[in-house]
Amino acid sequence: MLSTRTTPTRDVVSLDGLWRFALDTTAGPEPWTSRIPATLEAPVPASYNDLFVDPAIRDHVGVVWYQREVRVPRGWAGERVVLRFGSVTHAAQVYVDDTLVAEHVGGYTPFEADLTDVVAAGQEFRLTVAVDNRLTNITIPPGSVDTLPDGRLKQSYFHDFYNYAGIARSVKLASTPRAHVSDITVVTGIDGTSGTVDYTVEAAGTDGHDVRLRVLDEDGVTVATAEGETGSIRIDDVRLWQPGAAYLYDLVVELTRDGELVDSYTLPFGVRTVEVRGTQFLINGEPFYFTGFGKHEDTPVRGKGHDDAYLVHDFQLLDWTGANSFRTSHYPYAEEVLDFADRHGIVVVDETAAVGLNLGVQGGLTGIPPTPTFAEENFGGETKNVHAQHLRELIARDKNHPSVVMWSIANEPASNEEGARGYFEPLVDLARDLDPTRPLTYAAVMFANPTNDTIADLFDVLSINRYYGWYVFTGDLATAESVLEQELRGWVQRFGKPIMMSEYGADTQPGLHSVWDMPWTEEYQTDLLAAYHRVFDRIPEFVGEHIWNFADFMTGPGIHRVDGNKKGVFTRDRKPKGAAFSLRGRWRGLEGRKPGSAHAGDPAATDAAATEGTAS
């Protein structure tokens, strides 16, 4: 799916701003048929949960309503009119006046409605959106809804981040010609000093139109041309897109008829290759070592609402620490995030919203014996089809981003349970069919180990989540370090694949200090990370480290969470904890070094870098 852009033949109007807002309990019957009372207003984009002081809104389970008036620009007569939502969490019904124009399930991927035959240029219409935050066993992510004795609905879910809801990303009204470019796919390669671009252009609303293409460099100079819906373009003396050194070309795709321009769309792209070879992860044929974080779209007040100010500041902090990458845990992030990563050379592991496919975790937290995760009545039935559709939408949206180097199919699924392989093998096959160019991974939960995991052989990179020294061997870092190394070597020995740590860390209360190994102190977080790093540096097959988490984030209520998850290296408002400085020393010390080079097996070098970072 192409993102919405202004071009010589296309216009875009932002619908962000304040919308009328109401719960389904106060909106009245069929609220799309009339004006919702303007008692409450909610900003778009933003989650609605933290905006208001009324707990009935924050704790609401079910549908809420957004509404505003929209005027179609008078110059759009004869054009195709499209309404696009960046995301609605977790399901949406969209009405134009009294007409249902779109329905979508899935809170983290975009969807569109073609309004061409519903609205008119120069006229105003009433736009109403029903937003449903409920999670069930056939949603991604999953959950369950129970009815309490007093009739209230209670939402339960199986992931450790707050179930923020609302219209969290931008809403846009756009025009295109009736005959238009509907999709573009580019696959890049390297041939000596030249770059190759294999392309496919799809058009809609047309028969008999021609396609012509131009590649522009960053100075706007045409460096290559082509014609036809499919083909290959060669760029001589190519500038590669590289981690930390982004370079983007523009692919200008023009639809013509009898030599006259009908539609034009410009797609930024980077020339780079990604490959897993043996136990190495290669970008442009060179070994790449991931340093960075799992992140969340989570900020005070806005919840999961996209915010450009936080976008810029977060990337500044990534650069300050020396991080070169992050994982979009545990859902696709806003398109603006990936565009920014493209422009600034940050590498992205792009993850689906399949978090919580593990009833064993719920059992561990509640003490209730879990039922089989992949039983038909749990996630073994329709859930797999929903997961597949989410995977299709993710890859369709993000396939052309050079920053995206790997797809993560799921976070912490029950890969050790019976039924896991039957669930995941078709999804792996689907992902490889949709995009054969990028490696695949998933993040393994602590219950899955090298001896009982049933799906690791299907994937290209082993991503491991481990919390030795925190949930297990709490306060005993010596044992944690020994057990961690033993297990990681077990994964390598059994599967012979590159391995990375996709989550590791410890909850940390900023300002809490101790001279002993005291959990929750800033020193303990720093020491735990250092213990893990010593292990990583002793394993030649190791290709990366993503700490959990970049910043503290909000969670659901629970006695083991006080004001959210505190595993962030930064606080929720982006203040550094002590570990941030030691990480800066380590990661900047690794810059320019390949896996297995001078840092490997040299704890003294790592400790020296950490000391230098702390001093700074």
Side-chain angles (χ1 to χ4, degrees), residues 513-566:
H513 300 282
S514 177
V515 297
W516 301 293
D517 281 342
M518 185 72 68
W520 287 93
T521 62
E522 293 194 41
E523 290 79 13
Y524 188 80
Q525 183 184 41
T526 298
D527 291 344
L528 182 147
L529 298 180
Y532 276 67
H533 297 156
R534 288 192 294 269
V535 173
F536 302 164
D537 291 346
R538 294 194 290 263
I539 299 178
E541 298 84 1
F542 216 77
V543 298
E545 51 198 65
H546 278 173
I547 292 167
W548 191 254
N549 191 285
F550 172 74
D552 296 342
F553 57 91
M554 187 52 60
T555 63
I559 59 173
H560 64 301
R561 295 287 181 232
V562 180
D563 194 33
N565 190 304
K566 297 297 180 66

Side-chain angles (χ1 to χ4, degrees), residues 353-433:
V355 53
L357 297 174
N358 196 325
L359 295 178
V361 173
Q362 180 194 30
L365 291 175
T366 64
I368 301 172
T371 58
T373 297
F374 299 105
E376 188 75 17
E377 66 274 16
N378 292 326
F379 307 140
E382 179 61 20
T383 312
K384 182 167 58 179
N385 297 329
V386 176
H387 194 162
Q389 179 59 25
H390 184 94
L391 192 57
R392 292 186 189 96
E393 294 183 13
L394 168 65
I395 294 176
R397 191 196 75 166
D398 294 347
K399 61 187 175 183
N400 295 321
H401 285 284
S403 60
V404 175
V405 301
M406 187 158 54
W407 305 114
S408 178
I409 302 297
N411 179 73
E412 296 192 344
S415 58
N416 56 303
E417 288 189 27
E418 183 179 353
R421 194 173 185 92
Y423 182 98
F424 279 99
E425 193 163 14
L427 295 175
V428 170
D429 292 342
L430 174 63
R432 294 199 190 282
D433 182 59

Side-chain angles (χ1 to χ4, degrees), residues 267-582:
L267 175 73
F269 73 96
V271 178
R272 64 102 183 96
T273 61
V274 178
E275 178 188 1
V276 169
R277 186 186 305 162
T279 57
Q280 290 185 318
F281 193 97
L282 307 177
I283 298 180
N284 299 331
E286 295 292 330
F288 179 75
Y289 190 86
F290 295 83
T291 59
F293 304 91
K295 289 181 89 275
H296 264 302
E297 290 184 313
D298 175 275
T299 58
V301 181
R302 299 167 185 80
K304 288 196 177 303
H306 176 72
D307 185 287
D308 282 340
Y310 271 100
L311 169 67
V312 171
H313 189 56
D314 282 1
F315 273 71
Q316 284 286 298
L317 293 177
L318 290 173
D319 181 69
W320 178 83
T321 61
N324 60 25
S325 57
F326 64 88
R327 175 170 62 123
T328 68
S329 44
H330 300 297
Y331 38 82
Y333 290 178
E335 292 166 282
E336 292 88 344
V337 176
L338 297 184
D339 290 339
F340 202 86
D342 288 346
R343 295 195 298 271
H344 293 274
I346 295 293
V347 171
V348 177
V349 178
D350 207 356
E351 187 163 89
T352 74
V355 53
L357 297 174
N358 196 325
L359 295 178
V361 173
Q362 180 194 30
L365 291 175
T366 64
I368 301 172
T371 58
T373 297
F374 299 105
E376 188 75 17
E377 66 274 16
N378 292 326
F379 307 140
E382 179 61 20
T383 312
K384 182 167 58 179
N385 297 329
V386 176
H387 194 162
Q389 179 59 25
H390 184 94
L391 192 57
R392 292 186 189 96
E393 294 183 13
L394 168 65
I395 294 176
R397 191 196 75 166
D398 294 347
K399 61 187 175 183
N400 295 321
H401 285 284
S403 60
V404 175
V405 301
M406 187 158 54
W407 305 114
S408 178
I409 302 297
N411 179 73
E412 296 192 344
S415 58
N416 56 303
E417 288 189 27
E418 183 179 353
R421 194 173 185 92
Y423 182 98
F424 279 99
E425 193 163 14
L427 295 175
V428 170
D429 292 342
L430 174 63
R432 294 199 190 282
D433 182 59
L434 294 170
D435 178 16
T437 71
R438 288 179 175 87
L440 302 179
T441 192
Y442 71 101
V445 71
M446 286 198 68
F447 302 144
N449 59 55
T451 61
N452 68 11
D453 188 279
T454 66
I455 66 173
D457 62 296
L458 301 173
F459 293 82
D460 303 297
V461 175
L462 304 178
S463 297
I464 311 298
N465 294 357
R466 287 298 178 267
Y467 291 98
Y468 296 128
W470 187 248
Y471 296 120
V472 184
F473 310 122
T474 309
D476 184 357
L477 293 181
T479 300
E481 182 174 343
S482 175
V483 173
L484 175 67
E485 181 169 359
Q486 180 181 1
E487 184 186 343
L488 293 183
R489 291 192 183 279
W491 285 97
V492 172
Q493 182 177 4
R494 179 183 173 191
F495 296 104
K497 296 174 182 287
I499 186 170
M500 66 181 292
M501 190 64 64
S502 42
E503 287 186 24
Y504 62 110
D507 282 275
T508 306
Q509 180 63 35
L512 185 63
H513 300 282
S514 177
V515 297
W516 301 293
D517 281 342
M518 185 72 68
W520 287 93
T521 62
E522 293 194 41
E523 290 79 13
Y524 188 80
Q525 183 184 41
T526 298
D527 291 344
L528 182 147
L529 298 180
Y532 276 67
H533 297 156
R534 288 192 294 269
V535 173
F536 302 164
D537 291 346
R538 294 194 290 263
I539 299 178
E541 298 84 1
F542 216 77
V543 298
E545 51 198 65
H546 278 173
I547 292 167
W548 191 254
N549 191 285
F550 172 74
D552 296 342
F553 57 91
M554 187 52 60
T555 63
I559 59 173
H560 64 301
R561 295 287 181 232
V562 180
D563 194 33
N565 190 304
K566 297 297 180 66
K567 291 188 180 69
V569 169
F570 297 92
T571 63
R572 198 178 186 210
D573 59 353
R574 278 44 175 184
K575 300 296 190 299
K577 301 177 187 177
F581 296 94
S582 61

Side-chain angles (χ1 to χ4, degrees), residues 481 530 533-534 537-538 585-586 593 598-612:
E481 182 174 343
H533 297 156
R534 288 192 294 269
D537 291 346
R538 294 194 290 263
R586 171 178 171 79
R593 302 185 188 183
H599 75 279
D602 184 5
T606 301
D607 292 343
T611 302
E612 177 186 350

Side-chain angles (χ1 to χ4, degrees), residues 19-37:
W19 295 42
R20 295 188 294 278
F21 178 86
L23 302 182
D24 57 357
T25 55
T26 61
E30 299 187 336
W32 62 90
T33 61
S34 60
R35 183 182 175 93
I36 293 174

Side-chain angles (χ1 to χ4, degrees), residues 101-154:
V101 296
E103 295 182 273
H104 184 260
V105 177
Y108 302 102
T109 48
F111 64 96
E112 297 179 342
D114 190 330
L115 307 187
T116 307
D117 298 327
V118 183
V119 300
Q123 295 186 4
E124 189 175 73
F125 64 88
R126 183 178 62 254
L127 176 59
T128 309
V129 184
V131 178
D132 193 338
N133 69 350
R134 284 173 288 190
L135 298 173
T136 71
N137 68 318
I138 56 171
T139 62
I140 295 293
S144 63
V145 178
D146 298 312
T147 302
L148 300 177
D150 61 2
R152 290 181 298 122
L153 297 180
K154 179 182 178 180

